Amino acid sequence: MSSTDSSNQPFEIQVVNRGEIYLCDQGESLLSGMEQKSADCINVGCRGGGCGMCKIRIIKGRFTNKRMSKAHVSPEEAEKGYALACRTFPSENMVIESDHFQIDEAVELGTS
Amino acid sequence: MKKGVMRPGHIQIRVLDMAEALEHYRDLIGLIETHKDSQGRVYLKGWTEVDKFSVVLREADEPGMDFVGYKVLNNEVLEKLEQELIAFGCNVEAIPAGELDGCGRRVRFDSPTGHMFEIYAEKEQTGKWGVSKVNPEAFPRDLKGMKATRFDHCLLYGPNIAGTIQLFTEVLGFDIAEQVLDGEGTRLAGFLTAGMKAHDVAFIEHPELGKFHHSSFFLETWEDVLRAADLISMTDTSLDIGPTRHGLTHGKTIYFFDPSGNRTEVFCGGDYHYPDHEPVTWTADELGKAIFYHDRVLNERFLSAVT
Protein backbone atom coordinates (compact mmCIF):
# COMPACT_ATOMS: atom_id res chain seq x y z
CA MET A 1 0.00 0.00 0.00
CA SER A 2 1.37 3.37 -0.95
CA SER A 3 0.76 6.45 1.15
CA THR A 4 -1.86 7.72 -1.31
CA ASP A 5 -3.96 4.53 -0.87
CA SER A 6 -4.19 4.81 2.90
CA SER A 7 -4.74 8.55 3.14
CA ASN A 8 -8.29 8.28 1.79
CA GLN A 9 -7.78 11.50 -0.16
CA PRO A 10 -9.51 11.67 -3.54
CA PHE A 11 -7.32 11.37 -6.63
CA GLU A 12 -6.89 14.27 -9.04
CA ILE A 13 -7.92 13.29 -12.58
CA GLN A 14 -6.79 15.56 -15.37
CA VAL A 15 -8.72 15.21 -18.66
CA VAL A 16 -6.35 16.89 -21.07
CA ASN A 17 -8.52 17.09 -24.20
CA ARG A 18 -11.29 18.84 -22.25
CA GLY A 19 -8.95 21.00 -20.15
CA GLU A 20 -10.69 19.84 -16.96
CA ILE A 21 -9.65 18.36 -13.63
CA TYR A 22 -11.94 16.53 -11.19
CA LEU A 23 -11.47 14.72 -7.90
CA CYS A 24 -12.27 10.99 -7.96
CA ASP A 25 -13.02 9.37 -4.61
CA GLN A 26 -10.99 6.26 -3.81
CA GLY A 27 -12.80 3.04 -4.70
CA GLU A 28 -14.83 4.70 -7.45
CA SER A 29 -14.30 4.15 -11.16
CA LEU A 30 -13.08 7.12 -13.19
CA LEU A 31 -16.61 7.45 -14.60
CA SER A 32 -18.68 7.14 -11.42
CA GLY A 33 -16.19 9.42 -9.63
CA MET A 34 -16.79 12.01 -12.34
CA GLU A 35 -20.58 11.65 -12.19
CA GLN A 36 -20.55 12.03 -8.39
CA LYS A 37 -18.82 15.42 -8.78
CA SER A 38 -21.35 16.47 -11.46
CA ALA A 39 -18.42 16.88 -13.84
CA ASP A 40 -18.94 16.33 -17.57
CA CYS A 41 -15.69 15.54 -19.31
CA ILE A 42 -16.14 11.83 -20.18
CA ASN A 43 -19.19 10.60 -22.12
CA VAL A 44 -21.50 8.39 -20.04
CA GLY A 45 -23.07 5.30 -21.59
CA CYS A 46 -23.98 1.98 -19.98
CA ARG A 47 -21.52 2.25 -17.05
CA GLY A 48 -20.95 -1.52 -17.35
CA GLY A 49 -18.06 -2.01 -19.75
CA GLY A 50 -20.30 -2.87 -22.69
CA CYS A 51 -21.07 0.10 -24.95
CA GLY A 52 -17.70 1.86 -25.26
CA MET A 53 -19.02 5.42 -24.95
CA CYS A 54 -16.63 6.25 -22.07
CA LYS A 55 -13.52 5.08 -23.94
CA ILE A 56 -10.38 6.94 -22.84
CA ARG A 57 -6.61 6.82 -23.32
CA ILE A 58 -4.55 6.70 -20.15
CA ILE A 59 -1.50 8.96 -20.33
CA LYS A 60 -0.23 8.72 -16.78
CA GLY A 61 -1.12 7.09 -13.48
CA ARG A 62 -1.52 3.65 -11.91
CA PHE A 63 -4.91 1.97 -11.89
CA THR A 64 -6.71 -1.36 -11.63
CA ASN A 65 -9.56 -2.42 -13.85
CA LYS A 66 -12.46 -4.84 -14.30
CA ARG A 67 -13.31 -6.87 -17.40
CA MET A 68 -14.53 -4.73 -20.31
CA SER A 69 -15.87 -5.49 -23.79
CA LYS A 70 -13.17 -6.66 -26.20
CA ALA A 71 -15.28 -5.17 -28.99
CA HIS A 72 -14.28 -1.72 -27.71
CA VAL A 73 -10.86 -2.32 -26.16
CA SER A 74 -8.81 -5.06 -27.84
CA PRO A 75 -5.77 -6.48 -26.01
CA GLU A 76 -3.52 -4.46 -28.38
CA GLU A 77 -5.41 -1.25 -27.56
CA ALA A 78 -5.25 -2.00 -23.84
CA GLU A 79 -1.46 -2.20 -24.12
CA LYS A 80 -1.46 1.25 -25.71
CA GLY A 81 -3.39 2.65 -22.75
CA TYR A 82 -6.95 2.58 -24.07
CA ALA A 83 -9.61 1.65 -21.51
CA LEU A 84 -13.22 2.25 -20.53
CA ALA A 85 -13.54 4.80 -17.74
CA CYS A 86 -16.40 2.86 -16.13
CA ARG A 87 -14.09 -0.13 -15.53
CA THR A 88 -10.94 1.77 -14.53
CA PHE A 89 -10.19 2.44 -10.85
CA PRO A 90 -7.39 4.94 -10.13
CA SER A 91 -4.65 4.06 -7.62
CA GLU A 92 -3.11 7.56 -7.75
CA ASN A 93 -3.56 10.87 -9.57
CA MET A 94 -4.08 10.30 -13.30
CA VAL A 95 -3.83 12.09 -16.62
CA ILE A 96 -6.26 10.83 -19.29
CA GLU A 97 -7.73 11.78 -22.65
CA SER A 98 -11.49 11.20 -23.26
CA ASP A 99 -13.69 11.15 -26.40
CA HIS A 100 -12.20 8.02 -27.99
CA PHE A 101 -15.60 6.37 -28.71
CA GLN A 102 -16.52 6.01 -32.35
CA ILE A 103 -19.19 4.03 -34.16
CA ASP A 104 -17.75 1.58 -36.69
CA GLU A 105 -19.66 1.91 -39.95
CA ALA A 106 -20.82 -1.39 -41.40
CA VAL A 107 -18.58 -2.58 -44.21
CA GLU A 108 -21.03 -5.12 -45.56
CA LEU A 109 -24.78 -5.48 -45.43
CA GLY A 110 -25.21 -9.10 -44.34
CA THR A 111 -26.30 -11.87 -46.61
CA SER A 112 -29.71 -11.32 -48.02
CA MET B 1 -49.25 -15.81 -36.68
CA LYS B 2 -50.26 -16.28 -40.31
CA LYS B 3 -47.14 -18.34 -41.14
CA GLY B 4 -47.17 -20.32 -37.88
CA VAL B 5 -44.70 -18.29 -35.78
CA MET B 6 -46.29 -17.99 -32.32
CA ARG B 7 -44.12 -15.83 -30.08
CA PRO B 8 -40.67 -14.82 -28.88
CA GLY B 9 -39.25 -17.93 -27.23
CA HIS B 10 -35.77 -17.20 -25.98
CA ILE B 11 -32.87 -14.78 -26.09
CA GLN B 12 -29.22 -15.62 -25.36
CA ILE B 13 -27.35 -12.67 -23.84
CA ARG B 14 -23.58 -12.43 -23.34
CA VAL B 15 -22.38 -11.11 -19.97
CA LEU B 16 -18.93 -10.29 -18.58
CA ASP B 17 -19.54 -11.81 -15.13
CA MET B 18 -22.18 -14.46 -14.45
CA ALA B 19 -22.54 -13.81 -10.70
CA GLU B 20 -23.15 -10.09 -11.29
CA ALA B 21 -25.53 -10.88 -14.16
CA LEU B 22 -27.62 -13.14 -11.92
CA GLU B 23 -27.95 -10.36 -9.36
CA HIS B 24 -29.48 -8.33 -12.20
CA TYR B 25 -31.69 -10.79 -14.10
CA ARG B 26 -32.70 -13.02 -11.17
CA ASP B 27 -32.58 -10.86 -8.05
CA LEU B 28 -33.46 -7.43 -9.49
CA ILE B 29 -35.73 -8.15 -12.49
CA GLY B 30 -37.12 -11.17 -10.66
CA LEU B 31 -36.72 -13.86 -13.30
CA ILE B 32 -36.75 -17.46 -12.11
CA GLU B 33 -33.46 -19.36 -12.46
CA THR B 34 -34.45 -22.73 -13.93
CA HIS B 35 -31.26 -24.43 -15.08
CA LYS B 36 -27.49 -24.33 -15.58
CA ASP B 37 -26.01 -26.37 -18.43
CA SER B 38 -22.67 -28.12 -18.86
CA GLN B 39 -21.24 -25.06 -20.68
CA GLY B 40 -22.02 -22.88 -17.67
CA ARG B 41 -24.92 -21.07 -19.33
CA VAL B 42 -27.73 -20.13 -16.94
CA TYR B 43 -31.39 -20.42 -18.01
CA LEU B 44 -34.16 -18.20 -16.63
CA LYS B 45 -37.81 -17.33 -17.26
CA GLY B 46 -40.56 -14.98 -16.16
CA TRP B 47 -42.95 -16.69 -13.76
CA THR B 48 -45.96 -16.66 -16.16
CA GLU B 49 -44.08 -18.35 -18.98
CA VAL B 50 -45.03 -21.99 -19.58
CA ASP B 51 -41.83 -23.18 -21.26
CA LYS B 52 -38.73 -24.09 -19.24
CA PHE B 53 -36.73 -20.96 -20.09
CA SER B 54 -36.75 -17.76 -22.13
CA VAL B 55 -33.46 -16.08 -21.18
CA VAL B 56 -30.04 -17.75 -21.47
CA LEU B 57 -26.97 -15.99 -20.06
CA ARG B 58 -23.53 -16.86 -21.42
CA GLU B 59 -20.29 -15.49 -19.96
CA ALA B 60 -18.03 -13.96 -22.64
CA ASP B 61 -15.56 -11.10 -23.08
CA GLU B 62 -17.91 -9.08 -25.30
CA PRO B 63 -21.44 -8.27 -24.09
CA GLY B 64 -24.37 -8.34 -26.53
CA MET B 65 -26.91 -10.76 -27.95
CA ASP B 66 -25.99 -14.16 -29.43
CA PHE B 67 -29.43 -14.83 -30.92
CA VAL B 68 -33.16 -14.51 -30.32
CA GLY B 69 -35.51 -17.42 -31.02
CA TYR B 70 -39.18 -17.66 -31.94
CA LYS B 71 -41.43 -20.63 -31.25
CA VAL B 72 -43.49 -21.99 -34.15
CA LEU B 73 -46.63 -24.12 -34.01
CA ASN B 74 -45.16 -27.52 -34.90
CA ASN B 75 -42.41 -29.36 -36.76
CA GLU B 76 -44.24 -29.18 -40.11
CA VAL B 77 -44.14 -25.36 -39.86
CA LEU B 78 -40.48 -25.53 -38.83
CA GLU B 79 -39.53 -27.59 -41.89
CA LYS B 80 -41.55 -25.41 -44.27
CA LEU B 81 -40.07 -22.16 -42.93
CA GLU B 82 -36.56 -23.65 -43.03
CA GLN B 83 -36.94 -24.13 -46.82
CA GLU B 84 -38.38 -20.64 -47.23
CA LEU B 85 -35.48 -19.09 -45.30
CA ILE B 86 -32.99 -20.86 -47.59
CA ALA B 87 -34.95 -19.67 -50.65
CA PHE B 88 -34.91 -16.10 -49.30
CA GLY B 89 -31.10 -16.27 -49.24
CA CYS B 90 -30.33 -16.64 -45.55
CA ASN B 91 -27.41 -18.70 -44.34
CA VAL B 92 -29.28 -21.42 -42.43
CA GLU B 93 -27.80 -23.72 -39.80
CA ALA B 94 -29.60 -26.62 -38.14
CA ILE B 95 -28.89 -26.78 -34.40
CA PRO B 96 -29.62 -30.27 -33.06
CA ALA B 97 -32.11 -30.89 -30.26
CA GLY B 98 -30.49 -30.64 -26.83
CA GLU B 99 -27.84 -28.03 -27.70
CA LEU B 100 -29.91 -25.91 -25.35
CA ASP B 101 -31.07 -28.32 -22.63
CA GLY B 102 -34.80 -28.94 -22.94
CA CYS B 103 -35.12 -27.37 -26.39
CA GLY B 104 -35.86 -29.26 -29.61
CA ARG B 105 -34.25 -28.80 -33.00
CA ARG B 106 -33.57 -25.18 -33.89
CA VAL B 107 -33.16 -23.53 -37.29
CA ARG B 108 -30.71 -20.64 -37.02
CA PHE B 109 -30.43 -17.97 -39.73
CA ASP B 110 -28.67 -14.67 -40.34
CA SER B 111 -30.18 -11.40 -41.50
CA PRO B 112 -29.31 -8.20 -43.40
CA THR B 113 -28.95 -6.25 -40.13
CA GLY B 114 -26.33 -8.75 -38.94
CA HIS B 115 -28.40 -10.39 -36.20
CA MET B 116 -28.79 -14.14 -35.68
CA PHE B 117 -32.30 -15.52 -35.25
CA GLU B 118 -33.76 -18.97 -34.60
CA ILE B 119 -37.06 -20.77 -34.92
CA TYR B 120 -37.96 -23.99 -33.12
CA ALA B 121 -41.12 -26.00 -32.45
CA GLU B 122 -40.49 -27.86 -29.20
CA LYS B 123 -39.32 -26.95 -25.71
CA GLU B 124 -39.90 -28.67 -22.39
CA GLN B 125 -43.04 -27.23 -20.78
CA THR B 126 -42.78 -26.93 -17.04
CA GLY B 127 -45.84 -24.67 -16.65
CA LYS B 128 -46.14 -21.30 -14.96
CA TRP B 129 -43.77 -21.07 -12.02
CA GLY B 130 -45.16 -21.17 -8.49
CA VAL B 131 -48.86 -21.65 -9.30
CA SER B 132 -50.77 -24.84 -10.04
CA LYS B 133 -52.01 -25.74 -13.50
CA VAL B 134 -55.55 -26.21 -12.20
CA ASN B 135 -57.25 -23.50 -10.12
CA PRO B 136 -54.15 -21.28 -10.23
CA GLU B 137 -53.81 -18.55 -7.61
CA ALA B 138 -53.23 -14.94 -8.73
CA PHE B 139 -49.45 -15.00 -8.37
CA PRO B 140 -46.70 -16.81 -6.47
CA ARG B 141 -45.94 -15.10 -3.13
CA ASP B 142 -42.18 -15.51 -3.16
CA LEU B 143 -41.15 -13.56 -6.27
CA LYS B 144 -38.08 -11.32 -6.18
CA GLY B 145 -37.37 -7.73 -7.19
CA MET B 146 -39.45 -6.34 -10.05
CA LYS B 147 -41.40 -9.62 -10.38
CA ALA B 148 -41.22 -9.53 -14.18
CA THR B 149 -43.88 -11.73 -15.73
CA ARG B 150 -42.30 -12.61 -19.09
CA PHE B 151 -39.57 -11.92 -21.66
CA ASP B 152 -41.58 -9.74 -24.06
CA HIS B 153 -39.43 -8.51 -26.98
CA CYS B 154 -36.08 -7.09 -27.96
CA LEU B 155 -34.98 -4.02 -29.94
CA LEU B 156 -32.12 -4.52 -32.38
CA TYR B 157 -29.97 -1.91 -34.17
CA GLY B 158 -28.37 -2.52 -37.55
CA PRO B 159 -28.02 -1.36 -41.16
CA ASN B 160 -30.61 -2.21 -43.82
CA ILE B 161 -33.59 -2.77 -41.55
CA ALA B 162 -35.64 -2.84 -44.76
CA GLY B 163 -34.02 -6.20 -45.59
CA THR B 164 -34.58 -7.74 -42.15
CA ILE B 165 -38.16 -6.44 -42.01
CA GLN B 166 -38.80 -8.01 -45.43
CA LEU B 167 -37.45 -11.31 -44.05
CA PHE B 168 -39.72 -11.14 -40.98
CA THR B 169 -42.87 -10.10 -42.85
CA GLU B 170 -42.58 -12.17 -46.05
CA VAL B 171 -40.99 -15.37 -44.72
CA LEU B 172 -42.03 -15.47 -41.06
CA GLY B 173 -45.44 -13.77 -41.37
CA PHE B 174 -44.91 -10.89 -38.92
CA ASP B 175 -46.97 -7.70 -39.33
CA ILE B 176 -45.61 -4.15 -39.08
CA ALA B 177 -47.57 -2.78 -36.12
CA GLU B 178 -45.79 0.57 -35.74
CA GLN B 179 -43.12 2.48 -37.63
CA VAL B 180 -41.11 5.70 -37.97
CA LEU B 181 -40.90 7.21 -41.47
CA ASP B 182 -38.68 10.07 -42.63
CA GLY B 183 -39.74 12.84 -45.03
CA GLU B 184 -39.04 10.63 -48.06
CA GLY B 185 -41.06 7.74 -46.63
CA THR B 186 -37.97 5.68 -45.69
CA ARG B 187 -38.59 3.49 -42.66
CA LEU B 188 -36.15 4.35 -39.84
CA ALA B 189 -37.79 2.06 -37.29
CA GLY B 190 -40.13 -0.91 -37.53
CA PHE B 191 -42.04 -2.60 -34.69
CA LEU B 192 -43.14 -6.09 -35.73
CA THR B 193 -45.63 -8.50 -34.22
CA ALA B 194 -46.51 -12.16 -34.71
CA GLY B 195 -49.77 -11.76 -32.82
CA MET B 196 -51.69 -9.02 -31.02
CA LYS B 197 -48.85 -7.33 -29.11
CA ALA B 198 -47.54 -3.97 -30.32
CA HIS B 199 -44.14 -5.60 -30.80
CA ASP B 200 -42.51 -9.00 -30.64
CA VAL B 201 -39.32 -7.54 -32.12
CA ALA B 202 -38.27 -4.03 -33.20
CA PHE B 203 -35.56 -2.68 -35.51
CA ILE B 204 -33.92 0.75 -35.72
CA GLU B 205 -31.61 1.80 -38.58
CA HIS B 206 -27.98 2.08 -37.37
CA PRO B 207 -24.61 1.89 -39.17
CA GLU B 208 -23.10 -1.02 -37.17
CA LEU B 209 -24.06 -4.65 -37.86
CA GLY B 210 -25.77 -6.85 -35.29
CA LYS B 211 -26.14 -4.48 -32.37
CA PHE B 212 -28.31 -5.20 -29.31
CA HIS B 213 -30.28 -2.28 -27.89
CA HIS B 214 -32.34 -3.95 -25.18
CA SER B 215 -34.27 -6.94 -23.93
CA SER B 216 -37.66 -6.15 -22.45
CA PHE B 217 -39.71 -7.73 -19.69
CA PHE B 218 -43.40 -7.21 -18.98
CA LEU B 219 -44.86 -5.83 -15.75
CA GLU B 220 -48.58 -5.50 -15.02
CA THR B 221 -49.04 -1.89 -13.91
CA TRP B 222 -47.58 1.64 -13.88
CA GLU B 223 -47.23 1.23 -10.11
CA ASP B 224 -44.99 -1.77 -10.83
CA VAL B 225 -42.84 0.40 -13.16
CA LEU B 226 -42.47 3.04 -10.42
CA ARG B 227 -41.55 0.32 -7.94
CA ALA B 228 -38.95 -0.94 -10.44
CA ALA B 229 -37.49 2.60 -10.47
CA ASP B 230 -37.25 2.49 -6.66
CA LEU B 231 -35.43 -0.85 -6.84
CA ILE B 232 -33.00 0.55 -9.45
CA SER B 233 -32.08 3.33 -7.00
CA MET B 234 -31.91 0.98 -3.99
CA THR B 235 -29.46 -1.27 -5.82
CA ASP B 236 -27.50 1.64 -7.36
CA THR B 237 -28.15 0.14 -10.81
CA SER B 238 -27.09 2.13 -13.89
CA LEU B 239 -30.17 4.04 -15.10
CA ASP B 240 -30.70 5.04 -18.73
CA ILE B 241 -34.03 6.87 -18.67
CA GLY B 242 -37.45 6.74 -17.07
CA PRO B 243 -39.98 6.14 -15.72
CA THR B 244 -41.69 7.59 -18.79
CA ARG B 245 -44.01 6.70 -21.65
CA HIS B 246 -43.24 5.89 -25.28
CA GLY B 247 -45.12 7.54 -28.13
CA LEU B 248 -44.43 4.44 -30.22
CA THR B 249 -46.53 1.60 -28.74
CA HIS B 250 -47.61 3.97 -25.89
CA GLY B 251 -45.99 1.60 -23.39
CA LYS B 252 -45.04 2.91 -19.92
CA THR B 253 -41.40 2.14 -19.34
CA ILE B 254 -38.04 2.42 -17.61
CA TYR B 255 -34.61 1.61 -19.08
CA PHE B 256 -31.52 0.55 -17.17
CA PHE B 257 -28.35 -1.46 -17.75
CA ASP B 258 -27.15 -4.86 -16.60
CA PRO B 259 -23.65 -4.98 -15.00
CA SER B 260 -22.12 -5.79 -18.42
CA GLY B 261 -23.75 -2.82 -20.15
CA ASN B 262 -26.60 -4.62 -21.90
CA ARG B 263 -29.72 -2.46 -21.70
CA THR B 264 -32.87 -3.79 -20.02
CA GLU B 265 -36.43 -2.45 -20.19
CA VAL B 266 -39.36 -3.23 -17.95
CA PHE B 267 -42.70 -1.85 -19.11
CA CYS B 268 -46.47 -2.14 -18.89
CA GLY B 269 -49.43 -1.35 -21.10
CA GLY B 270 -49.19 -0.51 -24.77
CA ASP B 271 -51.14 -0.68 -27.99
CA TYR B 272 -52.60 -3.82 -29.56
CA HIS B 273 -52.60 -4.96 -33.17
CA TYR B 274 -55.03 -6.95 -35.32
CA PRO B 275 -54.15 -8.16 -38.84
CA ASP B 276 -56.48 -5.60 -40.45
CA HIS B 277 -54.79 -2.65 -38.68
CA GLU B 278 -52.72 -0.21 -40.71
CA PRO B 279 -49.26 0.35 -39.16
CA VAL B 280 -49.25 3.18 -36.61
CA THR B 281 -46.91 5.80 -38.05
CA TRP B 282 -44.69 8.41 -36.36
CA THR B 283 -42.71 10.87 -38.45
CA ALA B 284 -38.98 11.44 -38.02
CA ASP B 285 -39.48 15.13 -37.23
CA GLU B 286 -41.37 14.01 -34.09
CA LEU B 287 -38.82 11.30 -33.17
CA GLY B 288 -38.20 12.72 -29.69
CA LYS B 289 -41.88 12.43 -28.81
CA ALA B 290 -42.15 9.05 -30.55
CA ILE B 291 -39.46 7.58 -28.32
CA PHE B 292 -39.94 9.56 -25.07
CA TYR B 293 -43.47 10.94 -24.98
CA HIS B 294 -42.93 13.13 -21.89
CA ASP B 295 -39.42 14.56 -22.43
CA ARG B 296 -40.00 14.85 -26.21
CA VAL B 297 -36.23 14.78 -26.78
CA LEU B 298 -33.91 11.84 -27.34
CA ASN B 299 -30.87 11.39 -25.13
CA GLU B 300 -27.68 10.63 -27.04
CA ARG B 301 -27.14 7.54 -24.91
CA PHE B 302 -30.37 5.92 -26.15
CA LEU B 303 -29.07 6.16 -29.73
CA SER B 304 -25.40 5.30 -29.15
CA ALA B 305 -25.13 2.94 -26.18
CA VAL B 306 -25.59 -0.54 -27.63
CA THR B 307 -23.77 -3.83 -27.14
Side-chain angles (χ1 to χ4, degrees):
Chain A
M1 291 275 265
S2 73
S3 57
T4 45
D5 288 335
S6 54
S7 66
N8 218 22
Q9 289 293 307
F11 299 124
E12 196 176 272
I13 311 299
Q14 185 183 355
V15 186
V16 291
N17 59 306
R18 300 282 192 105
E20 289 190 37
I21 291 172
Y22 68 93
L23 295 175
C24 183
D25 286 342
Q26 292 197 25
E28 297 293 333
S29 73
L30 287 174
L31 193 71
S32 64
M34 181 202 74
E35 287 196 278
Q36 284 175 4
K37 297 293 189 296
S38 299
D40 181 20
C41 45
I42 305 169
N43 290 326
V44 180
C46 69
R47 307 181 185 89
C51 77
M53 281 181 71
C54 66
K55 190 171 179 177
I56 57 169
R57 187 169 70 89
I58 294 159
I59 297 168
K60 197 177 157 195
R62 288 181 301 118
F63 59 92
T64 58
N65 55 19
K66 285 179 71 178
R67 198 175 190 180
M68 61 191 87
S69 176
K70 280 212 164 55
H72 294 291
V73 181
S74 65
E76 297 75 39
E77 282 186 305
E79 279 188 25
K80 291 176 187 165
Y82 290 96
L84 301 184
C86 65
R87 310 293 269 189
T88 304
F89 299 80
S91 308
E92 61 184 6
N93 295 344
M94 294 184 74
V95 180
I96 64 170
E97 185 178 72
S98 66
D99 297 326
H100 280 283
F101 173 68
Q102 58 185 45
I103 288 178
D104 295 322
E105 297 277 330
V107 291
E108 52 178 331
L109 294 181
T111 53
S112 302
Chain B
M1 212 178 75
K2 56 198 171 196
K3 298 288 288 289
V5 178
M6 286 194 289
R7 61 166 183 264
H10 55 235
I11 185 168
Q12 182 164 304
I13 299 170
R14 298 187 300 271
V15 298
L16 295 169
D17 183 294
M18 186 60 77
E20 288 182 359
L22 286 171
E23 286 180 13
H24 181 87
Y25 291 95
R26 181 190 59 203
D27 303 339
L28 178 61
I29 301 174
L31 300 179
I32 310 301
E33 183 179 344
T34 60
H35 187 64
K36 184 172 188 176
D37 71 17
S38 58
Q39 298 178 38
R41 294 180 297 186
V42 176
Y43 300 34
L44 307 102
K45 65 185 262 181
W47 74 268
T48 69
E49 295 181 275
V50 295
D51 286 354
K52 182 175 178 175
F53 64 87
S54 59
V55 173
V56 178
L57 302 176
R58 179 172 78 86
E59 196 169 291
D61 54 21
E62 180 184 340
M65 183 193 84
D66 280 330
F67 53 79
V68 58
Y70 299 89
K71 194 176 191 186
V72 304
L73 277 171
N74 53 45
N75 280 310
E76 288 70 44
V77 168
L78 186 63
E79 284 167 25
K80 182 168 181 294
L81 290 178
E82 181 174 13
Q83 295 311 311
E84 292 187 33
L85 288 164
I86 293 168
F88 185 81
C90 295
N91 289 307
V92 174
E93 182 188 3
I95 312 286
E99 195 280 331
L100 280 168
D101 287 344
C103 188
R105 178 174 171 272
R106 292 133 65 202
V107 172
R108 184 177 293 175
F109 52 99
D110 62 357
S111 64
T113 45
H115 301 95
M116 300 303 289
F117 299 99
E118 298 181 348
I119 48 174
Y120 64 96
E122 293 173 349
K123 191 183 282 179
E124 185 185 341
Q125 288 212 322
T126 49
K128 294 183 183 183
W129 184 86
V131 292
S132 5
K133 273 187 183 155
V134 178
N135 305 328
E137 301 296 352
F139 51 82
R141 279 172 291 180
D142 41 2
L143 295 168
K144 289 182 183 173
M146 300 173 186
K147 309 179 185 183
T149 63
R150 65 166 186 256
F151 165 57
D152 188 87
H153 66 268
C154 60
L155 169 58
L156 305 174
Y157 274 32
N160 191 9
I161 63 166
T164 298
I165 289 173
Q166 186 189 7
L167 166 63
F168 268 73
T169 53
E170 292 182 11
V171 181
L172 302 176
F174 283 64
D175 280 341
I176 300 172
E178 312 220 352
Q179 61 185 356
V180 177
L181 303 180
D182 71 10
E184 282 82 53
T186 303
R187 192 178 288 120
L188 304 179
F191 288 57
L192 277 55
T193 183
M196 275 189 69
K197 288 159 54 195
H199 46 2
D200 285 317
V201 64
F203 299 99
I204 287 184
E205 190 72 27
H206 179 78
E208 298 171 290
L209 284 164
K211 287 298 179 180
F212 177 44
H213 188 272
H214 71 262
S215 58
S216 183
F217 301 89
F218 191 74
L219 305 182
E220 282 194 348
T221 68
W222 177 230
E223 194 71 27
D224 291 338
V225 176
L226 298 177
R227 190 173 162 280
D230 291 334
L231 288 162
I232 287 166
S233 286
M234 282 182 208
T235 52
D236 202 21
T237 296
S238 175
L239 177 70
D240 186 6
I241 193 164
T244 183
R245 182 197 282 275
H246 288 304
L248 281 155
T249 77
H250 295 124
K252 285 156 277 188
T253 177
I254 187 164
Y255 285 95
F256 49 109
F257 292 97
D258 81 8
S260 306
N262 299 300
R263 191 185 278 94
T264 304
E265 176 189 34
V266 292
F267 80 108
C268 71
D271 299 334
Y272 62 88
H273 177 88
Y274 277 110
D276 63 336
H277 287 194
E278 287 288 314
V280 174
T281 298
W282 284 80
T283 55
D285 59 345
E286 293 274 5
L287 190 63
K289 194 171 177 180
I291 304 288
F292 300 124
Y293 190 71
H294 297 154
D295 284 354
R296 283 164 278 153
V297 285
L298 273 171
N299 62 345
E300 172 62 24
R301 184 165 54 225
F302 198 79
L303 293 175
S304 302
V306 289
T307 55

